[in-house]
Amino acid sequence: MKVSKRISGLLLALGVAAVPACNGDDDGSIEQANSNTSWLTRCVNDAECGSSFACLCGVCTRECPRDNCADLGGSCAAVGSASHALQCGGGDSVPVCLRACTAEHAECDADQACTAGGCVPRPERDPCAGAEAALVCSSFESLDAGATEFAPDGSAIAVSAEQSLYGAKALAVTVAGGSARSSLHYEFKPQSSGTLYLRAWLYLDVEDASNLHVHAFTVGSIDQPDWGTTLHVLDGKLGFSFPQAGDVLGQLSVPARHWFCVRTQIELDATNGAASVWVDDALSLATKGVDTLPADEAHNIAVGIDYTSELALRLYVDALRLGTTPVGCTE
């Protein structure tokens, strides 16, 4: 018998909501596997989960891939993934089966979000709490007073409750009718050396991201020809664009209509800089010998759609943070 997992205190300490009980709309495969109707109900020990499940990360579920999540209508959250961190915090260090979700998100409860194909609890805390030293930070519950909106005709910027991960709202930016830009611009204390760390969550409102080309963040001097470092999705993969080196294709694809975490590390230098980017804590691209420092220093960031080849596109941004110290996906 597995050792019971006492996690309720840990989840509260991390500010992660426990997953509520299901609403009884499970399909036949789940009901067949779960005669005790304990699948994904809250728990503090194995005894509450019946013979078919164990108490892992605060819910009655199974460890994967030893157990087949598909038999439950589930998705495997691997250790180290953003979905595992949102579900488990710093608790059980085993991969767990979560409820699978599609682009419609109908499978997830109201207090859950769809990330990496699984329903996870929405974090309850403010992602900017304790981030006073950050250069830029926003949870997008409202439009930040210090930000400048860049929204030409045919584009729009707003905070929206249609999609969010942290809190009730997220930044929603839209382009339409041929406009290729719709973004918020933030000024910060100029940086001429050292390393910048960016963390944000993205949601691409497209049916298929495999052919998408969009610039989502530009860090540097965004109003000058020598802009700095642009994080982009090119051919559906997360990579960079640099003023002198051009587009650099990443290795990892991004999902459509699922929240995913983006982390970027930028070492500032005009000729020998370096930049790395991660998708849900998996490295997509690391490159060196690039120009990451504009002539007038790195002093602002564009957030949203700074360029796209699409005639109409909407994306959402949540939990934005830029600073000079590393930041994790769920911090």
Side-chain angles (χ1 to χ4, degrees):
M1 178 178 294
K2 294 181 180 179
V3 178
S4 298
K5 309 297 192 295
R6 299 284 180 178
I7 47 69
S8 56
L10 174 63
L11 290 176
L12 290 174
L14 289 168
V16 178
V19 175
C22 340
N23 57 17
D25 293 333
D26 299 331
D27 63 23
S29 63
I30 296 175
E31 289 296 335
Q32 182 177 2
N34 182 18
S35 58
N36 295 321
T37 64
S38 59
W39 164 242
L40 293 181
T41 57
R42 292 186 294 257
C43 62
V44 293
N45 58 61
D46 290 349
E48 298 174 78
C49 299
S51 60
S52 298
F53 303 102
C55 188
L56 301 170
C57 299
V59 294
C60 294
T61 185
R62 292 176 178 172
E63 184 178 340
C64 54
R66 185 187 65 185
D67 295 317
N68 190 350
C69 293
D71 290 344
L72 297 168
S75 172
C76 186
V79 175
S81 68
S83 56
H84 189 277
L86 287 170
Q87 177 62 53
C88 302
D92 296 303
S93 57
V94 295
V96 295
C97 295
L98 302 178
R99 184 180 301 282
C101 51
T102 60
E104 288 73 26
H105 300 191
E107 303 86 350
C108 299
D109 293 328
D111 58 353
Q112 294 178 314
C114 185
T115 70
C119 297
V120 297
R122 299 180 188 276
E124 293 183 329
R125 56 184 169 74
D126 183 348
C128 292
E132 291 79 10
L135 298 173
V136 176
C137 196
S138 182
S139 57
F140 298 114
E141 294 304 294
S142 61
L143 283 176
D144 298 307
T148 301
E149 298 181 34
F150 188 88
D153 291 344
S155 61
I157 299 172
V159 290
S160 173
E162 293 179 0
Q163 295 293 340
S164 67
L165 183 65
Y166 285 76
K169 298 178 181 179
L171 176 68
V173 295
T174 305
V175 296
S179 173
R181 300 180 69 186
S182 178
S183 57
L184 284 182
H185 296 180
Y186 293 85
E187 290 288 330
F188 55 82
K189 182 180 178 180
Q191 306 291 308
S192 60
S193 62
T195 303
L196 298 180
Y197 299 89
L198 171 69
R199 187 278 318 280
W201 285 79
L202 284 180
Y203 182 102
L204 304 174
D205 194 9
V206 294
E207 291 185 5
D208 181 4
S210 61
N211 294 316
L212 184 64
H213 186 189
V214 57
H215 292 187
F217 304 96
T218 298
V219 179
S221 182
I222 59 180
D223 299 315
Q224 302 296 324
D226 188 14
W227 282 15
T229 303
T230 294
L231 183 150
H232 69 183
V233 176
L234 177 60
D235 294 336
K237 296 181 179 179
L238 198 63
F240 290 113
S241 181
F242 302 98
Q244 307 303 323
D247 294 336
V248 183
L249 187 66
Q251 298 298 310
L252 298 182
S253 299
V254 298
R257 292 181 176 152
H258 287 194
W259 283 102
F260 63 97
C261 175
V262 171
R263 289 194 302 110
T264 301
Q265 178 176 316
I266 304 170
E267 298 176 25
L268 296 172
D269 193 278
T271 58
N272 196 33
S276 302
V277 63
W278 291 260
V279 180
D280 287 338
D281 282 333
L283 182 66
S284 181
L285 175 64
T287 185
K288 298 180 179 180
V290 289
D291 53 330
T292 57
L293 181 63
D296 58 345
E297 304 180 311
H299 62 91
N300 53 22
I301 178 175
V303 180
I305 300 173
D306 207 34
Y307 166 79
T308 182
S309 59
E310 302 296 308
L311 295 179
L313 177 66
R314 171 176 288 188
L315 63 78
Y316 298 86
V317 183
D318 209 348
L320 169 72
R321 183 167 163 180
L322 176 71
T324 56
T325 57
V327 56
C329 284
T330 56
E331 292 181 41

